[in-house]
Amino acid sequence: MADRHPAMARLDTLLGRWTVRLKVDGVGTSWTEFSWQDDGLFLHQRSDAEIPPSAPPGWRENAPFPVTSLIGLDDASEQFTMMYADARGVHRVYQMTLADGVWRIWRHAPGFNQRFHGTFSPGGDAIDARWEMSEDGETWRVDFGLTYTRD
């Protein structure tokens, strides 16, 4: 990874496998794993889960798993972009930052704006996070909370 852009090093903190617990009764746990692709040119994220029968019907019917994301860098702005795809056939492009122990992801789309905010624990082995959504891009509500724990 000798030719890796220095800004990509900010993503090293995500590397490895994490257990993800949604703060939704009955949903259970999932996992996500981050690894370098193409000698550090991109960060690859894979996620999967088995949705238990106890999950609310809306979660079972709309479960996105498995999920794949690819994170890259615009070297002119040093901003990250995340390309996302899931088992439902959903494809999205997000903007992303990771700095000072805070991980942010967002997208603006008519009728369904999204943003993610995650805060790393002091040791970096846990992330307390939430996804929010907005129909108008101004009034936001928490969609669901989640916690990442490094395996």
Side-chain angles (χ1 to χ4, degrees), residues 11 23 32 44 49 53 80 102 121 133:
L11 304 181
K23 297 176 182 176
T32 193
H44 183 220
F80 297 109
V102 177
S121 66
M133 64 89 56

Side-chain angles (χ1 to χ4, degrees), residues 5-7 10 73-80 96-97:
H5 191 283
R10 286 184 261 161
L73 177 74
D74 179 339
D75 65 353
S77 66
E78 294 196 4
Q79 295 294 309
F80 297 109
M96 187 183 104
T97 60

Side-chain angles (χ1 to χ4, degrees), residues 81-148:
T81 298
M82 172 188 277
M83 297 181 68
Y84 167 100
D86 68 32
R88 302 170 297 177
V90 170
H91 295 79
R92 296 184 177 145
V93 177
Y94 293 91
Q95 300 305 302
M96 187 183 104
T97 60
L98 181 58
D100 301 321
V102 177
W103 179 19
R104 294 183 181 182
I105 304 168
W106 67 94
R107 72 188 273 270
H108 301 288
F112 190 57
N113 299 281
Q114 294 176 284
R115 65 185 184 192
F116 169 94
H117 183 275
T119 303
F120 282 80
S121 66
D125 289 333
I127 306 166
D128 185 42
R130 69 184 179 277
W131 275 101
E132 299 177 338
M133 64 89 56
S134 171
E135 293 178 359
D136 61 11
E138 295 185 25
T139 305
W140 292 87
R141 69 171 174 81
V142 174
D143 199 8
F144 59 92
L146 60 163
T147 302
Y148 292 73

Side-chain angles (χ1 to χ4, degrees), residues 4-26:
R4 177 173 76 159
H5 191 283
M8 294 297 281
R10 286 184 261 161
L11 304 181
D12 284 343
T13 192
L14 291 170
L15 290 175
R17 189 173 173 108
W18 300 76
T19 297
V20 183
R21 289 179 177 79
L22 275 66
K23 297 176 182 176
V24 177
D25 289 338

